[in-house]
């Protein structure tokens, strides 16, 4: 079962094992980078997308696997897109008995069904509690000051329930937390939640507390995690998106408006276990103008690592790939040019021996090439530190 985030992998594995009255690693196991829990009795193994891609590359027949579940697929990470491309190839070339299940709460199901050879669509409405939506309008002051005022009002008017605040990035989280901590009472606990946070600290936000909690989060809490006790959501309507600049060959982090699908997901966080309230920091008219779904990562990100994976798989040419969403051809060509200059692919885009070594490291084209270009111990030490920092 594929989950897009490490903390979600561990959380879901623990939740399912608890339902079975077992410990993690028995019927339900998991694997993330540098950590694995499973046994001979494990039937369901939950993994991150990078782990799944390595499994397929190392064992194209997927020995012992009968079903791959792609969960939270609406996030459309480039890794999930690649894993689905490879899984379909495995199904067609090696394993016609392999089953694929793609799951999502908000996605273009007709498009996905067509891509998966007109597979049937199973709809499960699930259970949700009513959530009252309020539109507070765009912040009239600095975001941290505006959030502080809203939070103060909400805590006074809503005496019960934890608060989940969606912010675009780590810097905004730190500023808003600092502003809030200056006046919040001692019985209210503030917690951050973002992808770069150490896993142990991410898990703190998922654990119940005797105190009322205010959790400042990026879109990591949008879909793949259920935080018990949350009944109030304050949504900035913003997210950070890594965008590839084809002219410079580098990526930059942009702040942009979320989609309607993301807004609905965030609102739903307030109604998972009880009725709730969602305050949106934009207007109703602006809501109608939001795009329906997020832009797929494959359309806007650096493709050098994806191109190397495809070359390693034996599908090095753009027109030969079975894209769910085809990326810009120019982005693909730039990625090929970079990998060629790094010595990872040859003139015909076939992977080289150096490229295969970089793939085995799982760190990407640039960092892998840097690590493997070192000769002396001092160079190796310096390269490892640089790779970790970057």
């Amino acid at each position: 079962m594929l989950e897009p985030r490490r903390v979600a992998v561990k959380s879901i594995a623990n939740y399912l094992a608890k339902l079975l009255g077992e410990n993690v690693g028995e019927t339900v196991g998991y694997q993330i980078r540098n950590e694995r829990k499973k046994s001979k009795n494990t039937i369901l193994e939950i993994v991150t997308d990078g782990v799944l891609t390595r499994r397929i590359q190392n064992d194209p027949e997927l020995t012992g696997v009968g079903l791959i579940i792609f969960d939270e697929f609406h996030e459309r990470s480039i890794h999930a897109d690649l894993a689905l491309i490879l899984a379909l190839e495995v199904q067609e070339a090696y394993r016609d008995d392999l089953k694929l299940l793609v799951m999502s709460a908000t996605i273009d199901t007709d498009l996905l069904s067509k891509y998966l050879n007109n597979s049937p669509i199973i709809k499960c409405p699930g259970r949700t509690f009513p959530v009252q939506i309020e539109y507070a309008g765009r912040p009239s002051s600095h975001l941290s000051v505006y959030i502080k005022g809203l939070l103060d009002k909400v805590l006074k008017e809503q005496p019960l329930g934890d608060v989940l605040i969606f912010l675009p990035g780590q810097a905004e989280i730190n500023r808003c937390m600092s502003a809030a901590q200056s006046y919040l009472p001692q019985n209210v606990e503030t917690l951050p939640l973002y992808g770069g946070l150490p896993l142990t600290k991410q898990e703190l936000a998922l654990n119940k507390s005797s105190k009322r909690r205010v959790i400042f989060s990026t879109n990591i809490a949008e879909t793949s995690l259920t935080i018990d006790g949350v009944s109030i959501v304050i949504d900035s309507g913003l997210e950070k998106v890594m965008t590839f600049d084809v002219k410079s060959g580098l990526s930059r982090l942009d702040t942009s408006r979320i989609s309607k699908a993301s807004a609905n997901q965030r609102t739903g966080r307030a109604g998972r276990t009880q009725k709730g309230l969602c305050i949106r920091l934009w207007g109703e008219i602006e809501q109608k103008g939001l795009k329906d779904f997020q832009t797929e990562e494959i359309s806007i990100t650096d493709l050098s690592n994806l191109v190397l994976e495809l070359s390693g798989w034996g599908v090095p040419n753009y027109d030969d790939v079975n894209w769910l969403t085809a990326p810009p051809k120019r982005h693909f060509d730039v990625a090929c040019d970079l990998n060629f200059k790094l010595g990872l692919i040859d003139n015909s885009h076939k992977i080289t021996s150096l490229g295969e070594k970089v793939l085995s490291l799982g760190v990407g084209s640039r960092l892998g090439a840097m690590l493997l270009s070192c000769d002396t111990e001092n160079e190796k030490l310096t390269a490892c530190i640089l790779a970790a920092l970057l």
Side-chain angles (χ1 to χ4, degrees), residues 81 97 101 111 120 136 148 216 220 230 255 295 322 348 363 373:
D81 273 26
D97 63 323
L101 173 62
L111 172 69
K148 179 181 176 181
F216 298 81
I220 189 174
V230 169
T255 301
T295 302
N322 180 23
S348 59
V363 297
S373 69

Side-chain angles (χ1 to χ4, degrees), residues 17-265:
K18 185 178 178 181
L19 288 179
L20 295 171
E22 299 178 353
N23 294 318
V24 176
E26 295 179 46
T27 302
V28 180
Y30 71 83
Q31 183 178 7
I32 59 177
R33 183 182 290 233
N34 300 325
E35 187 177 344
R36 189 178 192 184
K37 281 191 176 182
K38 65 164 294 186
S39 66
K40 63 180 181 180
N41 297 321
T42 299
I43 294 173
L44 172 64
E45 187 170 12
I46 305 169
V47 302
T48 46
D49 35 32
V51 171
L52 178 59
T53 301
R54 292 271 62 74
R55 292 263 188 100
I56 297 175
Q57 289 277 24
N58 293 335
D59 178 19
E61 294 186 10
L62 287 175
T63 307
V65 177
L67 166 68
I68 303 175
I69 303 171
F70 293 80
D71 195 19
E72 307 292 1
F73 195 74
H74 61 270
E75 293 196 11
R76 291 301 302 276
S77 78
I78 192 170
H79 302 290
D81 273 26
L82 172 62
L84 185 57
I85 289 170
L86 299 184
L88 279 170
E89 293 250 342
V90 169
Q91 195 180 51
E92 292 172 5
Y94 304 104
R95 293 279 311 280
D96 58 3
D97 63 323
L98 181 68
K99 299 292 189 293
L100 304 178
L101 173 62
V102 181
M103 302 198 301
S104 170
T106 51
I107 200 170
D108 187 342
T109 49
D110 292 330
L111 172 69
L112 202 53
S113 172
K114 185 177 179 181
Y115 178 72
L116 296 171
N117 302 313
N118 296 313
S119 294
I121 298 171
I122 302 169
K123 294 184 179 180
C124 177
R127 182 189 67 177
T128 57
F129 292 87
V131 177
Q132 178 185 344
I133 299 175
E134 295 181 3
Y135 291 92
R138 291 249 189 147
S140 55
S141 56
H142 194 280
L143 184 60
S144 60
V145 176
Y146 197 62
I147 291 286
K148 179 181 176 181
L150 275 177
L151 183 58
D152 185 39
K153 182 173 180 286
V154 162
L155 291 176
K156 289 176 180 177
E157 294 180 353
Q158 305 284 335
L160 299 174
D162 293 341
V163 182
L164 176 61
I165 302 176
F166 283 102
L167 296 164
Q170 182 180 340
E172 292 82 3
I173 286 174
N174 291 337
R175 281 194 290 268
C176 289
M177 277 190 65
S178 179
Q181 287 168 344
S182 64
Y183 76 92
L184 286 177
Q186 290 187 342
N187 65 334
V188 177
E189 182 180 17
T190 60
L191 292 166
L193 183 58
Y194 53 88
L197 201 65
L199 206 54
T200 51
K201 291 188 176 181
Q202 290 186 39
E203 291 170 345
L204 286 177
L206 306 182
N207 299 329
K208 290 183 179 179
S209 172
S210 57
K211 294 183 177 181
R212 191 176 193 185
R213 299 181 301 164
V214 179
I215 300 162
F216 298 81
S217 176
T218 60
N219 55 8
I220 189 174
E222 191 173 294
T223 58
S224 50
L225 298 172
T226 295
I227 304 173
D228 285 340
V230 169
S231 62
I232 303 162
V233 166
I234 298 176
D235 185 3
S236 69
L238 302 171
E239 64 180 349
K240 294 276 178 133
V241 178
M242 190 70 79
T243 306
F244 181 64
D245 182 354
V246 71
K247 292 182 180 178
S248 68
L250 298 173
S251 298
R252 67 176 185 270
L253 204 56
D254 293 329
T255 301
S256 62
R257 306 298 300 181
I258 60 173
S259 65
K260 289 177 183 174
S262 288
N264 290 336
Q265 290 280 7

Side-chain angles (χ1 to χ4, degrees), residues 53-54 57 82 304-314 359:
T53 301
R54 292 271 62 74
Q57 289 277 24
L82 172 62
S304 55
N305 301 339
L306 173 76
V307 165
L308 187 61
E309 291 280 2
L310 291 171
S311 295
W313 184 250
L359 265 190

